[in-house]
Amino acid sequence: MIRPMRDVIVAANWKMHTTPADAGELARSIAARTRVAGVTRVICPPFVSLAAVGAALSELDSDVGIGAQNVHHELQGAYTGEVSAAMLAGLASWVILGHSERRRDAGETDELVGRKLGRAVDAGLRPILCVGEQLHEREAGQERVVVRRQLRGALGECDPDRLVVAGLVIAYEPVWAIGTGRTASGADAATMATAIRETLAELGFPDRGESIPVLYGGSVTSAAIDEFMAEPAIDGALVGGASLKPDEMAGIVARAGVTAAARGSTG
Ligand code: PGA
């Protein structure tokens, strides 16, 4: 079987950083410094900065994608402070779902993340679904069980063929590596990427999930990225803290570009 070509992707998760006043400048700087063939770049600013990032990138005529960091699981209604998938039309073409900080702070369950996924796909947003175990789960040797449960809970109700067409991306983000300066090893991340595709295969994904990009996330920096890109099972990174620094993003995307060229990715 010929392995399907997967995109090499570097996605920036700005979390609760930047105001509309400074997001455009940061996006411009990152976009200008990360023009590398074969790498799909995505910036995910806070909701209120989506329009400013969009305006800045269109001035540059940039092909950097724009993503939201969350979306509500209902179409509309009495949900004070929430944002629906339809509201993102024209502002974002990607969306991060099930980030561990939302699971922790907003109590998002796998089932809820699955409903968000359905809304995102219906609205034409490309989903980046985050999964990953906590430290005590890894120490108990439960990391594969946890990630399998997260994937089955979130993806179980969706049609796999539809998710492939929607461009589903999975981000493996061990919770203990997020914002801690401590990364997983490349080998461990690759083992988890393989476990993720095994679950996708169980769920009936075409090509046993081989067409789905799997990113690593958790304290990725320009110095750490090579270890992950050296693993054929890993297709890029979801970057938090380092994504606010243009120098770091330039280094990360440049390194990812070397891998993309070696793999023949067209981005
Ligand atoms: P970090 O965050 O790179 O700051 O560890 C990654 C993420 O939460 O997506």
Side-chain angles (χ1 to χ4, degrees), residues 231-253:
E231 300 290 342
I234 306 279
D235 303 301
L238 179 55
V239 187
S243 75
L244 295 162
K245 301 175 189 154
D247 282 354
E248 277 294 304
M249 281 300 281
I252 290 166
V253 176

Side-chain angles (χ1 to χ4, degrees), residues 30-88:
I30 290 172
R33 299 192 52 193
T34 56
R35 282 201 193 95
V36 173
V39 181
T40 299
R41 298 163 294 162
V42 187
I43 293 177
C44 305
F47 285 128
V48 295
S49 294
L50 285 167
V53 168
L57 294 179
S58 63
E59 269 168 36
L60 280 184
D61 203 15
S62 167
D63 61 359
V64 174
I66 303 175
Q69 298 173 15
N70 178 37
V71 74
H72 199 261
H73 59 278
E74 293 292 356
L75 282 176
Q76 61 178 33
Y79 302 101
T80 303
E82 297 290 348
V83 173
S84 74
M87 292 174 190
L88 293 172

Side-chain angles (χ1 to χ4, degrees), residues 59-235:
E59 269 168 36
L60 280 184
D61 203 15
S62 167
D63 61 359
V64 174
I66 303 175
Q69 298 173 15
N70 178 37
V71 74
H72 199 261
H73 59 278
E74 293 292 356
L75 282 176
Q76 61 178 33
Y79 302 101
T80 303
E82 297 290 348
V83 173
S84 74
M87 292 174 190
L88 293 172
L91 291 171
S93 46
W94 296 68
V95 64
I96 297 172
L97 296 172
H99 191 282
S100 63
E101 287 154 11
R102 295 205 53 83
R103 295 175 187 263
R104 179 194 69 199
D105 301 335
E108 292 189 3
T109 61
D110 297 323
E111 190 262 320
L112 192 82
V113 173
R115 291 170 66 193
K116 290 170 183 268
L117 187 73
R119 296 297 182 203
V121 170
D122 286 348
L125 295 166
R126 189 167 178 188
I128 303 176
L129 171 63
C130 301
V131 294
E133 80 286 355
Q134 302 193 38
L135 186 58
H136 68 92
E137 293 164 333
R138 175 159 284 266
E139 285 172 349
Q142 293 297 299
E143 64 275 11
R144 284 189 231 204
V145 176
V146 169
V147 166
R148 181 168 180 268
R149 187 178 63 227
Q150 290 172 332
L151 289 169
R152 294 185 74 93
L155 300 176
E157 299 299 315
C158 293
D159 171 19
D161 291 297
R162 214 164 159 238
L163 291 171
V164 171
V165 172
L168 174 70
V169 174
I170 308 284
Y172 168 61
E173 298 206 305
V175 178
W176 46 270
I178 295 178
T180 60
R182 178 180 170 196
T183 61
S185 71
D188 282 349
T191 300
M192 293 305 292
T194 301
I196 285 166
R197 293 201 177 93
E198 280 167 9
T199 303
L200 298 180
E202 284 169 21
L203 288 169
F205 273 66
D207 294 323
R208 302 188 58 75
E210 287 294 328
S211 65
I212 303 292
V214 177
L215 313 184
Y216 167 77
S219 297
V220 170
T221 61
S222 56
I225 184 74
D226 278 347
E227 170 154 11
F228 301 101
M229 296 314 299
E231 300 290 342
I234 306 279
D235 303 301

